[in-house]
Amino acid sequence: MALSSMTGFARGHGVSGSYAWAWEIKSVNGKGLDLRLRLPAGWDAIEGPVRARAAERLARGSVQATLTVERSGVVPVVRINAAVLQAILTTVRQLAPRVEASPPSLDGLLSLKGVMEVGDAEESEEERHGAEASATAGFAEVLGALSEMRQREGAALGRVLTSRLGEIAALAERAELTPGRRPEAIRVRLAEQVATLLAQSDRFDPDRLHQEAILIATKADVREELDRLAAHVGQARLLIDQGGAVGRRLDFLAQELNREANTLCAKANDVELTNIGLELKAAVEQFREQVQNVE
């Protein structure tokens, strides 16, 4: 499966009978799948099928889908609300003996709110169902176009992530080869520090100092951190090659990589190793930022 981004855009339109519809779908990053639908009034019947199709194609992302519908080629129909008109006429007759005024005109009566309504001719149930089916099928097509765009973005994203993993692996290898992390270098450095302390005061216990030095040397070893970095990089590469909805797992690995980089910096007792640790943290952060875009 291909790696997919959560960013995309697609638009499509179609016609069914007297109805013309158009879909516009936008997708951005999200922790889960959040589909926000904007449908015209009276089109709620298609919400269920539309959500089901979105869940089939998308795993994550904040998605906004908007449907616009227009009806053309339909003869307008004028409807008179007889009950409202009768109530107005009754009121006019009751007021006529008490108020001096000209009789109401026809256009005046028809302009009153609620007396006359202009709308489209009644639609048949069959035509409406056909339009709903057409719009639902159209959503699936536009959703497919959105998925294709997300996969194209995902392919580019995969190359960036692979490059970042290469940088992390290279930095870990540099840390592995750093002269300052070799046992003999640590031993010499600690021996010098112990000798300096003993020269400054005779109150230090040489045996206790050597024991503390051995403990410090053990804590300064970054072998485990380098091994875990290599394991996390390998697992991340496998997930990228696997593709699909692997964003959450890659995000977890990014957190683990960051943890190991922080520990390496904390343990570093050598300037070169410290600098490598700082570069490693920057590379891991760049990897983590890009992972936020993966589905």
Side-chain angles (χ1 to χ4, degrees), residues 57 63 71 74 109 123 130 175 196 226 233 241 250 261 291 294:
R57 294 297 299 266
V63 183
R71 198 175 179 210
V74 178
L109 288 171
E123 60 183 347
T196 301
L226 293 177
V233 167
D241 291 340
L250 284 173
V291 162
V294 179

Side-chain angles (χ1 to χ4, degrees), residues 99-116:
V99 178
E100 294 184 3
S102 302
S105 62
L106 179 60
D107 59 341
L109 288 171
L110 294 179
S111 66
L112 294 175
K113 184 177 179 180
V115 174
M116 183 177 69

Side-chain angles (χ1 to χ4, degrees), residues 20-83:
W21 53 261
W23 280 105
E24 184 174 286
I25 310 179
K26 302 175 184 178
S27 173
V28 295
N29 299 355
K31 292 184 178 180
L33 178 58
D34 179 20
L35 175 61
R36 301 181 182 182
L37 283 175
R38 296 178 61 183
L39 302 174
W43 284 74
D44 297 338
I46 71 171
E47 180 173 354
V50 162
R51 289 190 177 277
R53 298 198 177 192
E56 291 172 0
R57 294 297 299 266
L58 307 176
R60 294 176 68 200
S62 179
V63 183
Q64 180 175 313
T66 303
L67 173 65
T68 55
V69 178
E70 293 182 358
R71 198 175 179 210
S72 59
V74 178
V75 178
V77 175
V78 176
R79 300 181 180 87
I80 302 299
N81 192 322

Side-chain angles (χ1 to χ4, degrees), residues 6-23:
M6 285 188 283
T7 303
F9 174 82
R11 180 188 289 126
H13 56 85
V15 176
S16 175
S18 61
Y19 289 94
W21 53 261
W23 280 105

